[in-house]
Amino acid sequence: TIAMHPALLGSYSLEENLKPRVQWLKELGMDDSQVPKTITTHPQLMDSYSLEENLKPRVQWLKELGMDDSQVPKTITTHPQLMGCSLEENLKPRVQWLK
């Protein structure tokens, strides 16, 4: 992870960014292999999105779609870019169209 994204060493606050987000990812059910994969794939999760305003509402929405507690971390690990998409402008309209 560090070799691929050295910015993790200096650009992010340990207390304000890294620790809370890693802890939150683990609380979602990610294991020790999923967390670095998710961060490496989409490092913006570490500082670009607010936990309260962006990340948590998207997780809640995934659960409202019918995903269970084991599917949510798998979805975030394989498609972390979803966490940066607008619920109202991107995700909800696409799901509605697919129905």
Side-chain angles (χ1 to χ4, degrees), residues 21-40:
R21 283 167 173 76
V22 168
Q23 180 63 34
W24 179 73
L25 292 171
K26 288 183 175 186
E27 288 171 1
L28 284 178
M30 284 192 188
D31 62 37
D32 288 337
S33 68
Q34 290 173 310
V35 171
K37 179 181 178 186
T38 303
I39 293 169
T40 301

Side-chain angles (χ1 to χ4, degrees), residues 50-90:
S50 162
L51 275 174
E52 297 301 323
E53 294 178 23
N54 302 102
L55 302 177
K56 289 181 180 181
R58 279 153 188 77
V59 167
Q60 181 60 38
W61 180 74
L62 292 172
K63 290 180 178 182
E64 289 170 5
L65 285 177
M67 289 189 188
D68 63 34
D69 288 340
S70 68
Q71 292 171 312
V72 170
K74 288 178 188 173
T75 299
I76 296 170
T77 300
T78 56
H79 305 289
Q81 66 278 10
L82 290 175
M83 302 307 283
C85 292
S86 167
L87 281 174
E88 299 303 323
E89 293 179 24
N90 298 99

Side-chain angles (χ1 to χ4, degrees), residues 1-2 4-5 8 35-43:
T1 301
I2 299 301
M4 293 177 66
H5 298 283
L8 290 173
V35 171
K37 179 181 178 186
T38 303
I39 293 169
T40 301
T41 306
H42 202 68

